Amino acid sequence: MTVSFYMPTRIYSGANICKEITTYVPEHVRTIVLVTGCASARRYGYTDALQTYLTRDGRDVHVFDSVEENPSYATVDRITALARAKKAEGVVGLGGGSVLDASKAAALCAVSGMSAAAAVSAPPAHGALFYCAIPTTAGTGSEVTQYAILTDSATQRKENLATALMFPSVALLDETLTASMPVELTRDTGIDALSHAVEGYISLRATPFSDAYARAAITRIATWLPRVLASPEDNTARREMLEASCMAGMVIAQTGTTACHALGYYLTLRKGLRHGHANAVLLSRVVAWVQKYVPEKVADIEGMLGSTVEAFVSRCGVTPDASLSAVDAVEIQEMAQEAATRGNTAATPGLPSAEDLVKIVCADVR
Ligand code: NAP
Ligand code: ZN
């Protein structure tokens, strides 16, 4: 079997690296759209600081500061329209996965003027603006993936816009920007990163190359997630988590995710559970399902974590049964039917059917 590994994004990591952002933006990129979420980037001074750094050598910067969680097609279209109106040559995304996904999709759509809905159906064949990703959560790894997970408000489904043109040109990892995350967000996003590494490791699409990064990420998260939850001001722990999340992103850029993410999207859009929290609730259940197909991988994961996935997640403060108690039997059926149609379920060992997915959610697979 032929295996490959593709990672075109240049990654730079270091405390306060954003101060040097002009070093990493090509000289010809003079007009930039800076994209952020609705509140935190402004509240903690990140937007003003970035604007100052970017305009220092005479660049024009236009701020779009209203990306919502689980961003919609409409939000992408608004950023695209701003980029085209200002004739932007580049886009900088500064925020969590929601901001990074919306802004990288707009950097793609701005070249052709295509709508997000059209790009999801058939991504353009050529071109994207220069795009720099600056994560403020340590979780999604979107700064190194070719995916933008966007919400179709009409169907209330999350869709994956995926094209190699959307790999960010540059990713800047500055752990000082993640220090403002409250503990629950730190936990949920950290477990999202763990889910990416674990799902990539057990995936039918795993390769020796993706496995190397998956193991590196799982090992780091095993040590540093409990540490950062106990001491949120520990900058070393913040740095390790941000780098681990990036490594886990490099894994899913090769493998994609599995049934855990496929099921989790429903919990996010219909039940209001944050992306990472939804994965935290489901990850141990999906690992229990794959146990009989890839026992050596599951044993490896447990060895790296020093416990079962269930015990690790519970040590971080997530109680899956409590979080799932708000989901009734009809909703579980709906959730399973929807997840069964997704490509990431098809990468799950044992190829769970909709019926199997119900058992997974109900922790009834042993
Ligand atoms: P998020 O949805 O980007 O942000 C969640 C919340 O955290 C927002 O309220 C945001 O506030 C706040 N926040 C972000 N950074 C903060 C900071 N440093 N301090 C304080 N608050 C902060 O959360 P996320 O978990 O990073 O991203 C989840 C999204 O990424 C989902 O849509 C998921 O589907 C997607 N995802 C994409 C990929 C990929 O490869 N593309 C992979 C996994 C997940 P503001 O709104 O005020 O900024
Ligand atoms: Zn995720």
Side-chain angles (χ1 to χ4, degrees):
M1 189 181 78
T2 306
V3 298
S4 69
F5 188 91
Y6 183 53
M7 182 39 58
T9 303
R10 287 178 192 277
I11 302 161
Y12 301 94
S13 178
N16 297 309
I17 197 166
C18 288
K19 285 188 180 162
E20 297 150 33
I21 188 166
T22 49
T23 314
Y24 307 108
V25 178
E27 197 46 44
H28 71 272
V29 176
R30 305 306 303 169
T31 304
I32 289 174
V33 173
L34 172 61
V35 181
T36 73
C38 301
S40 64
R42 188 79 71 185
R43 181 181 314 134
Y44 298 107
Y46 307 152
T47 310
D48 287 348
L50 244 287
Q51 228 174 330
T52 305
Y53 306 145
L54 279 167
T55 49
R56 224 166 12 206
D57 60 357
R59 286 186 168 88
D60 270 344
V61 177
H62 304 276
V63 176
F64 181 100
D65 62 358
S66 45
V67 177
E68 74 280 24
E69 291 185 33
N70 310 301
S72 64
Y73 293 173
T75 297
V76 175
D77 293 343
R78 285 169 57 216
I79 306 168
T80 301
L82 176 65
R84 284 173 70 82
K86 301 296 180 190
K87 298 190 168 33
E89 286 130 353
V91 176
V92 174
L94 168 69
S98 295
V99 168
L100 301 190
D101 285 2
S103 53
K104 72 162 94 153
L108 176 78
C109 293
V111 171
S112 60
M114 194 178 236
S115 69
V120 167
S121 302
H126 305 287
L129 299 181
F130 168 84
Y131 177 66
C132 171
I134 307 177
T136 63
T137 61
T140 70
S142 176
E143 68 276 9
V144 289
T145 71
Q146 69 279 46
Y147 314 124
I149 312 295
L150 305 174
T151 301
D152 181 341
S153 312
T155 58
Q156 275 300 295
R157 260 178 72 101
K158 278 188 169 237
E159 301 294 351
N160 184 5
L161 168 52
T163 160
L165 294 171
M166 242 172 14
F167 275 109
S169 318
V170 174
L172 297 185
L173 308 185
D174 180 345
E175 75 272 16
T176 65
L177 304 177
T178 65
S180 53
M181 279 194 291
V183 171
E184 275 193 7
L185 186 63
T186 302
R187 177 198 69 196
D188 291 348
T189 51
I191 297 179
D192 187 29
L194 177 67
S195 307
H196 299 157
V198 165
E199 290 178 69
Y201 196 54
I202 60 176
S203 170
L204 294 173
R205 299 184 189 135
T207 72
F209 300 101
S210 62
D211 281 355
Y213 282 99
R215 294 179 59 90
I218 295 168
T219 309
R220 271 183 177 71
I221 294 166
T223 303
W224 295 103
L225 182 54
R227 201 88 66 96
V228 79
L229 293 177
S231 310
E233 69 296 337
D234 180 339
N235 281 334
T236 305
R238 292 280 182 197
R239 168 82 170 264
E240 293 282 346
M241 280 307 298
L242 189 56
E243 291 183 348
S245 158
C246 184
M247 289 177 198
M250 290 164 75
V251 174
I252 56 167
Q254 317 305 316
T255 62
T257 54
T258 66
C260 175
H261 270 67
L263 288 162
Y265 293 149
Y266 183 97
L267 293 181
T268 297
L269 290 188
R270 312 290 176 95
K271 293 290 165 184
L273 287 195
R274 252 196 194 125
H275 176 71
H277 196 97
N279 292 327
V281 164
L282 294 162
L283 185 63
S284 62
R285 293 163 193 239
V286 171
V287 170
W289 161 265
V290 302
Q291 162 76 49
K292 62 179 178 283
Y293 303 102
V294 285
E296 67 302 331
K297 287 253 169 125
V298 174
D300 259 3
I301 291 164
E302 293 180 348
M304 288 183 271
L305 291 177
S307 71
T308 60
V309 172
E310 190 177 4
F312 183 79
V313 165
S314 136
R315 192 174 145 213
C316 293
V318 175
T319 44
D321 286 345
S323 300
L324 281 170
S325 63
V327 189
D328 66 29
V330 175
E331 289 169 329
I332 291 175
Q333 288 288 344
E334 229 174 66
M335 181 176 165
Q337 292 292 346
E338 192 190 301
T341 64
R342 291 187 176 273
N344 33 8
T345 296
T348 311
L351 298 175
S353 63
E355 207 176 303
D356 296 325
L357 291 168
V358 169
K359 291 189 183 152
I360 290 174
V361 176
C362 297
D364 182 24
V365 295
R366 284 177 202 275

